[in-house]
Each structure stands twice: as structure tokens, then as C-alpha cells.
Amino acid sequence: MKQAFDLSVLVKNSGEWLKGTGPESDIVISSRIRLARNLAGFPFIKKCSEDDRKKIERQVRTRLEALAGWDDIQYVDIDSLSEVDRQFLVERQLISREIAESEGSRAVAIDPCEQYSVMINEEDHLRIQVMHSGLDLVSAWEQIDKLDDAIEGELLYAFHPRFGYLTACPTNVGTGLRVSVMLHLPGLVITQQIEKVFRSMQRINVTVRGLYGEGSQYTGDFYQVSNQVTLGHTERELLTMVGEEVVPRIIDYERKARDFLMEKGEQDLLDDVSRALGILSTARKISSEETMHYLSKVRMGVNLGLIDDVEVATINKLFIHTQPAHLQKLQGRMLTTSDRHIERANYLQRHLRDSGSLPDELN
């Protein structure tokens, strides 16, 4: 692992989970498995002194560097990053908002393909996560299970024979497992069925969050669905509940909503998504919220065959690259809010032009 890592390397690429591939990828953006782990012999993070945090960070880094096959992993000292760089990692789903906004010694180890990362000194001492494109929870679990075993071979975890893995939050005690699926649900939003669907989910211990996890807003019709508690459930039970029971049901609801919109008025829907593409293609200034709103419509239009010459992977990339920190990393300088609105519009036009989706008179 190298200490110095230029985050600009990441901005030039789309992470593995942004490729728009994998099962059910027209609706499922990504599958994520996260494990919460703590080291024996240290208090939980909220009770840690700064000296404790430094010892944890140093010990974890030393052990990770000893793992076979981790030579290409990039190690990032979050405490030394600028606010823009921290936000950049949040936008790419590589770190949480909590670790970005906290203080003291903390770090993240990042796989170059962005399939997995290990956060150090977040709410727990370790937060290990794996992300795959589409609905791919089984292979994501197999990958993180091997990672966890390898790390546990180097570090002594806090574990209780009755309660399982000990975590800072009681809802994570047991397996420490959070199974999350990010879904794109514009059909349910447009038909005003989204609240009804998610109310039914709450009765079976499933929680719904926004694009950037706990406390974040629902933007771009993106929703993260995950298990609410882990205690008393095996890993296989949690994977089955989310991946085989809850998510397929939501996918079915979304498909029916899209079918309803097509049957009710295909021309109206075509007009709606075409207007969205027109605004994205011609606007001179546009906010992040507007961009997410219109890209959501375009993405649905592409998947329904209403828009040609734009790939889902391009739309997925635009969702991320037009976020505030990404724009500033792409420009290599700080931008005011007004400047970001202008540069975002320019960026959208350039990339939609390259994809061939702009009318001839705008090329």
C-alpha cells in the first residue's frame, strides 16, 4: 500500500459498481455488503482517545499491508484530506458521510477497481464493504466473506460467544452484516406508489435510505434498501430476506409501474423523457438537484427503449461526475456554487454530444 495517492486517478474512471451491468441493472444500480468489526482490547470509537484511534489505525494498516494480494490497495489518510476530497470519496460511495465529517485519526483502504474498501475508525473500528453492479448479493457476500476471514487472520476481533460480533450500535450486534441494494425507482415515484411500497417494507425490518445512506435525502429517485437489524439472524437469512424476498418484490412493483406508464400514455412519457434530455443538453446553468431529477427520467427512458444512442453506463457516470466534489476534481480547482452550475451544464453537453444524443443543430 502506498501512502501518497492522487484521488484524481479515480475521477477518470467509473467504479465497477457504476458500469450498469449485472442482473436487473435497469432497476438495481448496485449491491453492497458491509461488515462492522471492532478490535479486542480497545473501547468503541465514541469512547476512544485520540491516542487509541492512532493505535487502531496504525495496527490495522500494518496488518492490512501484510495480507497477500493487497499490494495494489491504496491507503488514504482521511484526516489529512481537504473537504472536497472527503466529499469526493463520499460521492463515490467509498466512505460514509459519518467518517468524512468526523475528526481525528481515520483512514480508508481502497481497491483500485472500487469493488471494496475498508474504513478505519468510523462508527466501528472497521467497516468492510464490497459493492457490485446490479443485483449481485451472493458473489458480493462471497468476496467480503473471504476478505473478512483474511483480515481476521491478522487482527483479533471483539466477539462474544452468545451475542456474536460486538458493535457500537446495538442493531449491528451479531453478524455485523448490512445487506444493501441501491434501486432506481422513477416509475413508483411518478405513479405516487413509492410511499405505499416502503411502508409495507417497514413491517419486515427493512429500512430505506437515500443515495448516500443514513440521513441523506432521496434524490434522483434512488433508494437504498437494507436490513434493519442483525442480531438473531444468520448471514444467509439476511441475504435471503433482502436479496430474494424484499428486493425482487420492489423490482416487480417498479416494472409494473413502468408498464402502466407506457400503456397509459407512451407519447406522454416519451415527451417527458425527451424534455428532460433536452434540458440536460441545452441548459447553460443547472444545479445538482435538477441534474439528478432529469437524468433519472433519461435513464428510465433509455431502459424503456424511448431514447436511443445513450448507454446506461454513460448516464450512471453522469450521475456521479456532476456531483459537486467530482466537478471540482475534474476541473482541478475550487468552484463557487454558481461556477459549478455553469461547469455542470458544460460537462453534460460535452458528454451527451459524444454519446450522439444531441440533435444535429446542437452539435
Side-chain angles (χ1 to χ4, degrees):
M1 275 184 273
K2 304 175 181 66
Q3 174 64 34
F5 177 49
D6 182 6
L7 295 180
S8 298
V9 173
L10 295 179
V11 80
K12 298 173 184 176
N13 305 310
S14 291
E16 189 75 20
W17 63 276
L18 279 171
K19 287 186 175 179
T21 58
E24 313 288 1
S25 58
D26 57 328
I27 293 173
V28 179
I29 301 295
S30 62
S31 301
R32 182 178 70 172
I33 305 288
R34 186 222 68 195
L35 293 172
R37 299 289 187 256
N38 288 279
L39 305 188
F42 289 96
F44 291 129
I45 286 296
K46 293 291 186 183
K47 295 292 185 180
C48 275
S49 65
E50 180 56 21
D51 187 53
D52 288 330
R53 294 172 67 105
K54 287 179 179 178
K55 287 178 179 178
I56 292 168
E57 192 269 331
R58 191 160 51 243
Q59 183 175 334
V60 170
R61 181 181 182 184
T62 300
R63 296 297 188 272
L64 292 183
E65 287 177 334
L67 292 175
W70 280 56
D71 295 342
D72 293 332
I73 301 301
Q74 302 294 341
Y75 196 88
V76 180
D77 177 9
I78 297 174
D79 193 38
S80 66
L81 294 180
S82 67
E83 183 178 349
V84 169
D85 282 346
R86 292 196 299 271
Q87 181 58 33
F88 170 78
L89 291 175
V90 172
E91 290 172 2
R92 288 188 89 80
Q93 307 277 335
L94 293 171
I95 66 172
S96 64
R97 292 194 311 164
E98 179 169 345
I99 198 170
E101 295 170 359
S102 64
E103 297 179 352
S105 180
R106 61 205 192 280
V108 61
I110 301 171
D111 158 39
C113 294
E114 300 181 57
Q115 272 200 346
Y116 63 89
S117 65
V118 180
M119 286 180 282
I120 304 162
N121 290 341
E122 201 237 28
E123 181 180 69
D124 294 287
H125 299 157
L126 291 177
R127 287 288 177 93
I128 310 165
Q129 73 166 20
V130 166
M131 294 184 69
H132 286 190
S133 183
L135 184 57
D136 194 21
L137 287 171
V138 173
S139 61
W141 162 249
E142 291 171 351
Q143 184 177 7
I144 202 170
D145 190 32
K146 291 178 182 177
L147 285 172
D148 184 44
D149 287 347
I151 294 171
E152 192 169 14
E154 297 288 335
L155 295 164
L156 181 61
Y157 287 156
F159 184 86
H160 190 280
R162 179 182 176 189
F163 299 117
Y165 291 102
L166 303 180
T167 57
C169 180
T171 59
N172 291 324
V173 169
T175 61
L177 177 68
R178 175 67 57 81
V179 180
S180 302
V181 176
M182 187 187 298
L183 299 142
H184 182 223
L185 305 174
L188 289 171
V189 172
I190 294 171
T191 58
Q192 300 181 349
Q193 295 295 304
I194 194 74
E195 293 298 329
K196 178 181 177 181
V197 169
F198 286 143
R199 276 199 302 272
S200 68
M201 297 295 106
Q202 291 173 352
R203 293 195 292 268
I204 53 175
N205 289 322
V206 172
T207 186
V208 181
R209 296 181 170 92
L211 181 61
Y212 296 116
E214 190 169 358
S216 63
Q217 294 182 332
Y218 304 126
T219 57
D221 304 323
F222 288 113
Y223 299 86
Q224 287 194 57
V225 176
S226 61
N227 58 295
Q228 200 162 25
V229 295
T230 68
L231 188 62
H233 299 279
T234 66
E235 291 91 345
R236 185 57 57 185
E237 287 171 345
L238 294 172
L239 286 166
T240 299
M241 179 183 69
V242 176
E244 298 180 21
E245 298 172 6
V246 174
V247 170
R249 193 185 312 172
I250 298 174
I251 291 172
D252 183 56
Y253 289 148
E254 173 64 17
R255 292 205 193 286
K256 288 178 179 178
R258 294 184 186 189
D259 290 343
F260 172 78
L261 291 170
M262 289 287 284
E263 292 169 5
K264 178 184 176 184
E266 182 177 340
Q267 287 304 309
D268 289 338
L269 190 58
L270 174 60
D271 180 69
D272 194 28
V273 299
S274 297
R275 285 174 184 269
L277 180 60
I279 291 170
L280 293 170
S281 303
T282 60
R284 301 303 179 189
K285 296 177 67 175
I286 190 166
S287 70
S288 177
E289 291 76 13
E290 287 179 291
T291 300
M292 295 285 282
H293 174 71
Y294 292 125
L295 282 174
S296 173
K297 292 178 180 292
V298 172
R299 190 180 192 279
M300 179 176 65
V302 171
N303 282 315
L304 288 174
L306 298 173
I307 295 178
D308 298 323
D309 302 324
V310 183
E311 295 183 356
V312 170
T314 299
I315 300 300
N316 287 355
K317 183 175 78 171
L318 291 175
F319 271 118
I320 298 298
H321 282 195
T322 55
Q323 294 298 304
H326 272 75
L327 280 176
Q328 293 174 92
K329 295 294 290 182
L330 286 163
Q331 286 296 298
R333 60 189 176 92
M334 297 288 290
L335 298 171
T336 65
T337 300
S338 180
D339 286 341
R340 288 201 300 269
H341 289 179
I342 294 170
E343 180 51 39
R344 184 177 292 109
N346 292 336
Y347 187 85
L348 287 163
Q349 286 187 33
R350 287 196 303 271
H351 285 76
L352 290 173
R353 181 182 294 113
D354 289 344
S355 71
S357 64
L358 281 180
D360 291 339
E361 61 269 21
L362 293 175
N363 281 312

